[in-house]
Amino acid sequence: MEAVRTTAEGATRIKTKEVKAFGTQAADADLGQMNIQRRTPTPHDVEIEILYCGVCHSDLHTARNEWHGTIYPCVPGHEIVGRIVNVGSHVKKFKVGDSAAVGCMVDSCRECQYCKEGLEQYCEQGNIQTYNSPDKHLGTQTYGGYSESVVVHEDFVLRVPENLDLAATAPLLCAGITTYSPLKHWNVGAGKKVGIVGLGGLGHMGVKLAKAMGAEVIVFTTSTSKVEDAKRLGADDVVLSKDPDQMNRYAGKLHFVLDAVSAKHDINEYLNLLRVDGSLALVGAPEHPLPVAAFSLIPMRRSFAGSMIGGIPETQEMLDFCGRHNIVSDIEMIGIQQINEAYDRLLKGDVKYRFVIDMASLKK
Ligand SMILES: [Zn+2]
Ligand SMILES: [Zn+2]
């Protein structure tokens, strides 16, 4: 079904197509089926039939307006893998039938210093996120991957290595790049000792990636039940963070710590694991400020840092790296009708390690 709509500026008329989606109308409402409009591809766009979409904690935060600023209706999903079904007349990178992926961003200003460096996630104008950002084409908000299809400028579409399982690739688009980017930025590789704090959706990718980069990987977890799993994922050692003796074994020993915990925790305990010039980067986002003791940093010239997803060139680099090393996420596949239950389980940490929605279920 095609309709003609007028954009916010009122200047251009863009044709749209109505597609099925799953989203929510309010912070306290369950997600349910709805219809949304997708633009018909402009010359540089590709239209992707979505086959799989990963379920990120950000989806839940946004659907429930926990970070404020959610515009309803809200259709989450930014770990998208699918197949190209239509391409605009000027598209060069893709052809119909190619598999393709879309992550957390669908556009940016493309002109600022960061966009020019391929760091679109830090765009001075603010990147255009895959959902809940202003859609400059339609004048609405952007809608994410819990839907039949998506239309994206080819510059923000990624190639998927042929050897990777498509469903298990979906979480690489957020959980994968969010951990890959800081591991690369802080030069993780052979000869480096790296701590991964928290073994969830992000942490389990951090372990696999850091190990493939050649580092010695130590997982820090609060739960004894995760020790064996951490080793299966590739950890060289696992430390129960509640045990001071175990923590002390690594005091001043690590080159880098990737902290993927979003619950409240004492950051000083982890800063103390760093050797001279070591860095700790946060990728989890605890709700409240974290107190940092000056003497956790000063005596060893340590750095306390953060990192957000990754730019488009680096996201492609990450996918290619995963292709070469045969790395995908550990997933639990669900139908879209189970999404509300999946959110409840996500809150309890009851998933190994990422839910992925089989989007064929939306057609039922
Ligand atoms: Zn995410
Ligand atoms: Zn920019």
Side-chain angles (χ1 to χ4, degrees):
M1 191 197 304
E2 294 210 334
V4 176
R5 274 205 172 189
T6 307
T7 62
E9 304 84 51
T12 357
R13 290 180 150 247
I14 288 192
K15 277 189 178 172
T16 63
K17 181 166 86 171
E18 190 168 80
V19 304
K20 282 185 196 166
F22 225 77
T24 180
Q25 301 283 357
D28 57 359
D30 275 350
L31 274 72
Q33 192 159 328
M34 57 174 64
N35 292 324
I36 55 169
Q37 301 293 323
R38 295 293 192 194
R39 68 180 182 271
T40 49
T42 64
H44 288 283
D45 285 335
V46 301
E47 181 180 352
I48 302 167
E49 179 198 3
I50 301 173
L51 300 175
Y52 302 102
C53 186
V55 178
C56 174
H57 218 116
S58 306
D59 300 355
L60 185 160
H61 286 303
T62 306
R64 299 185 177 175
N65 199 24
E66 289 169 356
W67 289 336
H68 311 291
T70 301
I71 308 157
Y72 294 95
C74 169
V75 175
H78 60 202
E79 294 180 339
I80 298 170
V81 169
R83 204 163 296 288
I84 293 186
V85 292
N86 197 358
V87 295
S89 54
H90 296 338
V91 168
K92 292 201 176 68
K93 259 171 74 182
F94 298 96
K95 61 181 192 309
V96 170
D98 287 352
S99 51
V102 176
C104 303
M105 301 181 285
V106 288
D107 211 344
S108 68
C109 88
R110 296 153 182 265
E111 286 169 358
C112 74
Q113 55 179 327
Y114 302 119
C115 285
K116 284 181 177 158
E117 287 174 35
L119 296 170
E120 299 89 350
Q121 74 274 36
Y122 304 120
C123 173
E124 288 180 340
Q125 308 293 319
N127 65 69
I128 306 290
Q129 307 215 321
T130 304
Y131 58 84
N132 202 47
S133 269
D135 183 331
K136 68 182 178 192
H137 299 273
L138 301 181
T140 58
Q141 64 274 38
T142 53
Y143 296 119
Y146 298 3
S147 58
E148 281 180 289
S149 64
V150 66
V151 178
V152 182
H153 191 291
E154 63 172 327
D155 290 352
F156 282 75
V157 179
L158 292 312
R159 297 178 178 285
V160 179
E162 279 176 17
N163 57 312
L164 297 182
D165 176 78
L166 287 183
T169 294
L172 300 181
L173 278 302
C174 177
I177 187 61
T178 298
T179 48
Y180 181 89
S181 184
L183 291 170
K184 286 292 282 195
H185 183 77
W186 278 280
N187 300 312
V188 165
K192 299 287 175 68
K193 280 189 168 64
V194 174
I196 305 287
V197 186
L199 196 66
L202 292 174
H204 99 289
M205 286 311 309
V207 174
K208 292 185 187 201
L209 292 167
K211 194 66 200 164
M213 289 171 184
E216 183 180 336
V217 179
I218 300 105
V219 167
F220 296 83
T221 176
T222 52
S223 94
T224 44
S225 66
K226 288 192 175 167
V227 173
E228 283 314 306
D229 227 23
K231 287 183 180 161
R232 176 186 62 83
L233 292 165
D236 295 287
D237 196 8
V238 186
V239 168
L240 285 172
S241 52
K242 288 171 184 161
D243 181 343
D245 290 340
Q246 289 192 34
M247 290 291 280
N248 276 334
R249 276 199 283 132
Y250 286 100
K253 296 267 171 38
L254 304 183
H255 294 85
F256 180 66
V257 171
L258 186 70
D259 185 340
V261 175
S262 50
K264 188 182 169 192
H265 58 297
D266 183 0
I267 202 71
N268 299 288
E269 289 182 2
Y270 296 98
L271 289 168
N272 287 334
L273 302 174
L274 296 171
R275 48 178 285 140
V276 169
D277 287 335
S279 300
L280 181 150
L282 286 183
V283 289
E287 190 182 352
H288 298 293
L290 300 166
V292 176
F295 285 93
S296 295
L297 299 172
I298 291 172
M300 306 272 272
R301 195 163 60 185
R302 292 165 172 147
S303 300
F304 180 36
S307 180
M308 183 174 76
I309 52 173
I312 295 298
E314 193 173 48
T315 304
Q316 189 62 62
E317 179 190 307
M318 176 275 305
L319 286 168
D320 295 343
F321 178 88
C322 288
R324 284 197 306 278
H325 293 270
N326 242 309
I327 295 174
V328 286
S329 175
D330 285 22
I331 65 165
E332 180 178 337
M333 192 99 84
I334 60 168
I336 189 71
Q337 293 78 10
Q338 294 162 269
I339 189 68
N340 294 299
E341 183 194 329
Y343 278 9
D344 291 340
R345 285 183 52 198
L346 198 58
L347 282 175
K348 291 184 230 154
D350 175 23
V351 53
K352 282 185 175 169
Y353 279 91
R354 205 68 153 176
F355 289 114
V356 170
I357 308 162
D358 178 356
M359 294 311 303
S361 60
L362 186 59
K363 298 197 168 85
K364 281 179 194 161

